[in-house]
Amino acid sequence: MAEEKIGVYICHCGTNIGGKVDVEEVTKWAATQPNVAVAREYKYMCSDPGQDLIKNDIKELGITRAVVAACSPTMHEPTFRKAASDGGLNPYLLQMANIREHCSWVTIDPVAATAKAKRILSAQIHRLPLNEPLEPIEVPVNHDVLVVGGGIAGIEAALKLSATGKHVTLVERNPSIGGHMAMFDKTFPTLDCAACILTPKMSALGKDPNITLMAYSEVEYVEGYVGNFTVKVRKKARYVNTDICTGCGACQEACVVRKVKSEFDQGLGFRSAIYIPFAQAVPLRATIDPAKCLTLSKGKCKQQTCVSACGPGAIDFEQKDEVVELDVGAIIMATGFELWDAAQETRYGYGRLDNVITSLEFERISNASGPTGGEIVCKNGEAPKSVVILHCVGSRDQNYQEFCSRVCCMYSLKFSHLIKEHLPETEVYELYIDMRCFGKNYEEFYRRLMDEGVNFVRGRAAEVTDVALSPDEEGRLVVKTEDTLLGIVRRIPADMVILSAGLSPAHDAKEVSQIFGFGCSANGFYLERHPKLEPVATVTDGIFIAGCCQYPKDIPDTVAQAGAAAAGVLGLVDNDTVKVEPTISYIDPEKCSGCHICVGLCPHNAIQYNEEKNAAEVIEAACKGCGVCVSACGSNVPQQRGYLDVQIFAEIEGALAV
Amino acid sequence: MSKFKFAMYWAGSCGGCEIALLEIQAKIIEVDQNYDVVFWPAAADFKYKDVEGYDDGYIDVCLFNGCIRNSENEHLANLLRAKSKVLVAFGACATMGGIPGLANLSSAQEIKDLVYTQTPSVDNPDKVYPQERFTVPEGELDLPHMYDTVKTLEQTVDVDYFMPGCPPEAHQIAGVLDVVTAALKGEGELPPKGATIGVAPKSCCDECERVKDEKKIAGFRRIWEFFPDREKCLLEQGVICMGPATAAGCGARCTSVGMACRGCYGPPEGVVDQGAKMLSTLASIIDAPDPDEIARIAATVPDPVGTFYRFGLASSLLRRARV
């Protein structure tokens, strides 16, 4: 190994690192380490003057390797590698030593933090002489895009991309796009009719020649890498030929199975076994529910009324699921949320007490096209004289979801307004912990509702009961709560209790994220690459996220994120090529025994067996550098550039050398 | 021209290596033509003091088999190092610690307790243990001191070459002797110091004739539990075969007769820890989606240390269990 001149650059990161680690001490120590030619410290190494230190040392001192002791490589490794490159050094001869996330942020004792910083730095100083210069690999980019999820986020992203001429495939799990927004009556705080602003977008998407809509379909399998994903989508059988179905709805009128609880109406209304989920559905096509259809579930529907009702003859009981393979350059995940299951909070009686309903059920009740035609009524058909809205059900609760679901305060205010609008004599109570009205015109909306005579009670409901203690409570619900402003315990009689349930990650968010190869945060929502600077990117290059699958958010934020994700995608698929990391695996055929272990394991199908050489081979363009083959091979034949065994062992030795 | 000087020594080992040398059959005559045996306790009557009397470097080549288990092994290792021009760690025990290296899971005292008091067939009510020193009317007798930790030859003295195998295969021994003899005669060159000799490049799988395909394992089995397919890779059939993490050179004799490779030829070039590497390989090919199922399959691995570190515990990154 030739003598190397290592430059060491230690960042204070303001007080993020400097407040805990004795940076001066670490710098002095680093200067004494093997091969180190210069060790410098700086307040913010990522700033221009900080980066210039590296560039200048490359030019003036002739340093041949560099290590930046600062934040996580996922944060600024690209920044510093670019600086090295600008200075004339191969970027892969620069290493990051993470003394922030791995050290100063997680270590309490400053002495221990300083010692740990030295170890982390020492690991990199020991490995650096073994680093090899690498060149990025340039691969072609497929210009098409996949959007997963057809709620407002997915719709918005697809339309934005289509407007730039890109071809988009939108895959939606349900029979229609529209998502949760399509279920709402009004939107806060402007009280726009949700359908009025959403359906034009849905319809535009359905007609857009640049968009292929695959509703009632699910992504099963994804492989490939940035610019070159191959996706397998299962088109579930609708048992209706959608090419000839006109969406007239005659079949659902004719169907003999009419009492299926409507998912769209939250089970408050009914649909037939063959159904169009709602009048504005896109695509406006019928779907047969195979579990409910007598022909499909039992093999006996005497009349098959749908078949005779369908003019074009679109019904096809023989239809099978179809798996379609797509090639795309980038993917936007907009798979949304699920309402927190309010039945878990048994003391509120959801599922046990009539007229305790969830917020989404109230959305349907208040909706003019909903099961009650927009009449706000209790189960017995009478208008409630008193309605209590419980905030933070399942949210801000250490027993369930610790986080704030962000939209519940505002939609609860909207509910109050709708009730007051429909039923001015009805008393409305909002039981809140804090009112979180943070958006544009939100606080003003809150003020307006106070003027509308809504009773705001600060307190978290203890229980909802039907046990009456006074004649006034007889035959009604009673909400027990502490009013923390008055300092008293109250019993509020009510005819209807609305549980403002929080937003949860989709039940299968984790599995879906694994199919696409990125992860979820601790709270179960999709993990963004960086919470502030990369909120719509994921750790997988080329895969972006938008809307409530990332975290609960309101419609304006969702739409903004969808646009941001579309811009991120465009910045990628608008190019003909993309540079990918050269830190991929290689196999020396002279060492490979052809045992086949790695061949079946490569998640990217980047390894094939060459019979002639009796050896495995890496397809460079397909390898993503995940390292599976490296750890799987019993003979250490596959080696990953940038993560060679000798380099890793040198790091371990370095860490233990201090 | 005088003959070259040959020595062979048997430290902590079973004696199989000594017999393996004779497996070269008629070639032993060639050895006799070229070498004078100056120390070989298993075959000829020499005393330690004879060796102590030799000049340093007197022995041209010494094949040292067995691990360093006690003070006597250590003394001989030091002695033979000093007296030998070329010191070869011969066989799995000398190179990796071998099967005796599994004693590193226990302390010396634990082993003695087991052997002298706890074994069901032992009747030792007074708990009599062997003593390192004992005085008899004729004088004082002594026994070597048994160490807690088994070491390889290289962990004890400087070693020139490593020749793995339990025992090394005869054709490899013959080949190595040819190379060494030629070099001593000035007709050839020795391999670079520190080389592993008597092995082939690649892993044992390269020499194994079985048909190999992609591997996905839903459970591990031992060879007596079923009739393995004669053609197919044993690992694919759920038998833990160390082949992928073992150097070639033996000719894959075990797998050719239906026995899984036990790993005696040590790790292939570039692998630091044979057991850890094999564990990594097996973990990669367990075919199960959920942690419970994976745990169930992993629990079917019989004797994990004895399987993955059957020969290599003493030379592994772990070296031994804590005492």
Side-chain angles (χ1 to χ4, degrees):
Chain A
M1 185 188 320
E3 187 71 15
E4 297 295 346
K5 291 172 85 175
I6 299 176
V8 179
Y9 304 89
I10 305 166
C11 180
H12 289 253
C13 195
T15 55
N16 274 304
I17 294 168
K20 193 67 80 172
V21 173
D22 185 343
V23 174
E24 269 179 40
E25 159 67 19
V26 177
T27 311
K28 269 189 224 153
W29 167 86
T32 66
Q33 293 305 295
N35 295 315
V36 172
V38 60
R40 300 186 194 277
E41 53 170 306
Y42 197 70
K43 198 86 181 159
Y44 291 103
M45 201 59 82
C46 58
S47 65
D48 279 345
Q51 293 184 46
D52 286 344
L53 293 175
I54 304 172
K55 292 182 204 169
N56 290 342
D57 285 351
I58 295 168
K59 286 176 194 145
E60 285 158 26
L61 300 181
I63 63 163
T64 58
R65 299 281 193 276
V67 52
V68 181
C71 49
S72 161
T74 59
M75 182 82 208
H76 271 311
E77 189 179 76
T79 310
F80 292 114
R81 286 199 163 158
K82 169 94 173 34
S85 182
D86 291 348
L89 190 66
N90 183 287
Y92 294 90
L93 300 179
L94 178 142
Q95 288 288 133
M96 296 295 291
N98 182 355
I99 59 166
R100 196 177 74 169
E101 287 85 341
H102 284 179
C103 181
S104 66
W105 278 0
V106 292
T107 311
I108 292 164
D109 174 32
V111 176
T114 303
K116 198 172 179 183
K118 287 181 188 172
R119 280 186 188 274
I120 294 170
L121 186 52
S122 173
Q124 297 307 324
I125 292 172
H126 275 74
R127 88 125 48 200
L128 263 174
L130 298 167
N131 272 28
E132 302 165 331
L134 301 173
E135 295 302 330
I137 300 165
E138 207 155 351
V139 293
V141 169
N142 185 311
H143 300 300
D144 297 346
V145 183
L146 170 71
V147 176
V148 184
I152 179 60
I155 292 171
E156 183 65 22
L159 288 172
K160 283 265 189 301
L161 286 165
S162 153
T164 68
K166 297 288 171 265
H167 184 267
V168 180
T169 302
L170 189 145
V171 173
E172 164 60 46
R173 176 181 278 179
N174 292 314
S176 169
I177 58 168
H180 284 99
M181 188 178 170
M183 299 173 185
F184 303 161
D185 180 34
K186 297 278 168 31
T187 57
F188 59 78
T190 50
L191 301 171
D192 294 284
C193 155
C196 307
I197 56 176
L198 179 65
T199 48
K201 283 184 185 289
M202 289 167 61
S203 157
L205 187 146
K207 294 192 187 98
D208 195 315
N210 282 337
I211 301 177
T212 303
L213 174 56
M214 293 178 72
Y216 208 47
S217 302
E218 292 191 51
V219 175
E220 287 200 329
Y221 181 75
V222 178
E223 64 174 35
Y225 53 98
V226 57
N228 299 275
F229 295 102
T230 300
V231 183
K232 285 190 183 139
V233 182
R234 177 173 295 272
K235 265 178 97 167
K236 292 179 280 189
R238 283 180 187 253
Y239 306 102
V240 169
N241 184 337
T242 48
D243 292 339
I244 53 178
C245 171
T246 61
C248 70
C251 54
Q252 58 182 2
E253 299 303 324
C255 180
V256 295
V257 183
R258 302 183 63 87
K259 288 283 178 189
V260 182
K261 284 187 172 180
S262 157
E263 295 84 357
F264 188 73
D265 278 337
Q266 297 298 301
L268 298 173
F270 297 106
R271 62 164 172 83
S272 309
I274 185 165
Y275 66 107
I276 295 169
F278 54 103
Q280 299 84 9
V282 173
L284 191 65
R285 295 289 179 266
T287 305
I288 297 180
D289 178 345
K292 301 293 178 189
C293 169
L294 294 178
T295 303
L296 289 170
S297 65
K298 300 202 172 83
K300 51 174 187 189
C301 179
K302 283 179 200 146
Q303 292 139 349
Q304 296 206 333
T305 46
C306 56
V307 177
S308 40
C310 181
I315 290 162
D316 174 9
F317 290 116
E318 301 301 315
Q319 205 175 63
K320 296 270 179 294
D321 288 6
E322 193 187 335
V323 177
V324 180
E325 200 170 285
L326 304 171
D327 291 319
V328 296
I331 298 171
I332 294 178
M333 302 296 291
T335 52
F337 67 95
E338 283 173 17
L339 195 70
W340 187 75
D341 174 16
Q344 291 180 68
E345 187 64 291
T346 50
R347 63 200 173 121
Y348 293 162
Y350 178 72
R352 176 166 53 87
L353 301 172
D354 283 345
N355 298 315
V356 175
I357 60 173
T358 68
S359 43
L360 216 44
E361 287 169 354
F362 184 81
E363 292 282 4
R364 294 312 298 153
I365 290 175
S366 62
N367 193 304
S369 63
T372 62
E375 292 297 317
I376 298 172
V377 289
C378 299
K379 205 168 183 188
N380 61 8
E382 286 177 19
K385 292 188 178 65
S386 165
V387 180
V388 180
I389 303 172
L390 308 188
H391 287 224
C392 300
V393 176
S395 302
R396 302 185 68 194
D397 186 333
Q398 296 200 345
N399 298 310
Y400 304 114
Q401 304 186 134
E402 281 197 48
F403 56 84
C404 166
S405 292
R406 289 181 91 236
V407 292
C408 321
C409 282
M410 290 307 296
Y411 75 58
S412 299
L413 289 175
K414 176 185 75 177
F415 291 168
S416 289
H417 173 80
L418 293 176
I419 297 165
K420 280 290 180 189
E421 191 179 61
H422 285 67
L423 308 165
E425 301 305 317
T426 298
E427 285 294 340
V428 182
Y429 297 85
E430 297 224 17
L431 269 53
Y432 67 96
I433 305 177
D434 306 286
M435 288 305 293
R436 296 193 163 174
C437 310
F438 51 86
K440 188 175 186 181
N441 293 330
Y442 287 11
E443 185 66 21
E444 293 87 331
F445 189 64
Y446 176 31
R447 177 73 51 190
R448 173 177 166 187
L449 265 291
M450 284 199 268
D451 292 343
E452 287 181 9
V454 174
N455 304 291
F456 288 93
V457 178
R458 201 185 82 175
R460 184 165 213 156
E463 189 186 359
V464 179
T465 177
D466 56 355
V467 178
L469 293 185
S470 68
D472 184 38
E473 295 175 1
E474 210 64 57
R476 306 176 79 183
L477 297 169
V478 178
V479 180
K480 293 201 279 189
T481 184
E482 182 184 1
D483 185 329
T484 59
L485 294 180
L486 293 179
I488 56 167
V489 175
R490 295 178 67 168
R491 292 175 63 88
I492 306 172
D495 304 306
M496 177 187 279
V497 173
I498 304 172
L499 304 182
S500 292
L503 275 51
S504 295
H507 66 279
D508 57 354
K510 193 175 168 195
E511 290 75 31
V512 172
S513 75
Q514 283 166 351
I515 291 176
F516 286 86
F518 58 89
C520 288
S521 319
N523 55 27
F525 292 100
Y526 293 162
L527 182 64
E528 62 285 324
R529 179 178 281 185
H530 188 275
K532 293 166 195 72
L533 301 178
E534 296 269 26
V536 298
T538 67
V539 290
T540 305
D541 284 340
I543 301 188
F544 295 80
I545 49 178
C548 288
C549 61
Q550 183 255 347
Y551 190 72
K553 55 179 63 68
D554 55 17
I555 295 168
D557 284 4
T558 295
V559 170
Q561 244 194 9
V569 165
L570 205 55
L572 184 68
V573 298
D574 216 27
N575 300 307
D576 290 329
T577 58
V578 62
K579 281 183 179 168
V580 295
E581 287 283 317
T583 47
I584 59 169
S585 162
Y586 66 94
I587 290 175
D588 180 352
E590 295 299 312
K591 291 184 178 167
C592 176
S593 312
C595 78
H596 276 75
I597 284 176
C598 58
V599 180
L601 290 175
C602 177
H604 312 294
N605 290 340
I607 299 184
Q608 62 188 21
Y609 174 71
N610 181 327
E611 208 143 337
E612 211 171 291
K613 294 183 189 162
N614 182 33
E617 286 177 339
V618 176
I619 306 160
E620 283 209 346
C623 176
K624 285 193 76 177
C626 68
V628 163
C629 55
V630 180
S631 56
C633 177
S635 315
N636 265 14
V637 175
Q639 287 284 306
Q640 189 178 348
R641 294 194 170 89
Y643 298 93
L644 304 178
D645 272 16
V646 286
Q647 295 168 342
I648 306 286
F649 277 113
E651 276 192 38
I652 296 170
E653 278 165 22
L656 299 177
V658 184
Chain B
M1 183 183 143
S2 68
K3 292 194 217 173
F4 302 115
K5 306 289 183 285
F6 173 87
M8 186 158 189
Y9 181 67
W10 167 357
S13 69
C14 67
C17 288
E18 313 270 338
I19 295 162
L21 187 71
L22 300 178
E23 285 281 328
I24 62 174
Q25 300 181 2
K27 188 139 184 120
I28 198 78
I29 296 168
E30 249 178 67
V31 174
D32 184 57
Q33 285 169 348
N34 289 309
Y35 295 91
D36 276 332
V37 172
V38 294
F39 185 58
W40 189 357
D45 187 13
F46 288 95
K47 305 296 182 202
Y48 293 172
K49 68 175 189 315
D50 297 332
V51 183
E52 282 158 10
Y54 297 153
D55 292 335
D56 281 0
Y58 173 76
I59 303 166
D60 289 295
V61 55
C62 173
L63 304 182
F64 190 106
N65 70 84
C67 64
I68 307 305
R69 206 319 144 232
N70 59 35
S71 53
E72 183 189 20
N73 303 151
E74 189 179 31
H75 170 65
L76 265 289
N78 282 309
L79 185 63
L80 287 167
R81 169 68 281 181
K83 307 298 177 190
S84 305
K85 288 198 187 82
V86 173
L87 179 67
V88 180
F90 187 84
C93 297
T95 53
M96 298 185 279
I99 287 178
L102 287 169
N104 284 356
L105 295 170
S106 319
S107 66
Q109 191 56 47
E110 282 166 347
I111 293 168
K112 288 178 194 165
D113 287 345
L114 182 71
V115 171
Y116 294 105
T117 68
Q118 292 165 3
T119 309
S121 58
V122 165
D123 181 22
N124 184 7
D126 301 328
K127 298 203 185 310
V128 177
Y129 282 85
Q131 302 300 306
E132 288 184 14
R133 288 186 186 285
F134 191 68
T135 310
V136 289
E138 293 82 0
E140 195 171 75
L141 295 177
D142 61 67
L143 279 177
H145 174 65
M146 178 176 172
Y147 297 131
D148 273 322
T149 300
V150 169
K151 287 185 178 176
T152 68
L153 184 61
E154 193 198 19
Q155 287 164 358
T156 312
V157 295
D158 185 40
V159 174
D160 297 309
Y161 300 108
F162 302 88
M163 188 164 180
C166 182
E169 283 300 322
H171 72 282
Q172 296 286 8
I173 299 172
V176 164
L177 286 174
D178 282 346
V179 168
V180 172
T181 309
L184 289 172
K185 286 180 174 168
E187 294 164 4
E189 275 190 27
L190 284 173
K193 185 179 157 70
T196 297
I197 55 176
V199 295
K202 304 195 178 183
S203 77
C204 183
C205 301
D206 188 51
E207 294 180 330
C208 174
E209 299 283 338
R210 288 172 178 266
V211 179
K212 293 151 201 99
D213 206 339
E214 292 173 17
K215 296 169 187 30
K216 283 184 175 169
I217 296 179
F220 297 107
R221 294 185 287 183
R222 301 181 78 169
I223 213 81
W224 49 265
E225 292 177 280
F226 72 117
F227 290 102
D229 185 296
R230 285 167 182 275
E231 307 292 324
K232 254 172 82 176
C233 164
L234 287 167
L235 191 52
E236 281 162 39
Q237 301 182 61
V239 180
I240 298 180
C241 177
M242 289 287 287
T246 302
C250 61
R253 292 181 59 180
C254 295
T255 62
S256 71
V257 294
M259 276 300 294
C261 169
R262 305 185 309 158
C264 74
Y265 259 65
E269 189 191 349
V271 172
V272 173
D273 187 310
Q274 185 184 22
K277 191 69 251 198
M278 190 62 204
L279 207 50
S280 179
T281 297
L282 281 194
S284 302
I285 56 177
I286 287 181
D287 185 25
D290 68 281
D292 290 343
E293 177 67 1
I294 292 167
R296 190 197 61 74
I297 295 173
T300 63
V301 175
D303 182 16
V305 181
T307 301
F308 301 121
Y309 291 101
R310 192 189 305 262
F311 298 94
L313 184 63
S315 62
S316 70
L317 292 170
L318 297 170
R319 296 271 173 102
R320 64 156 305 123
R322 280 176 198 233
V323 183

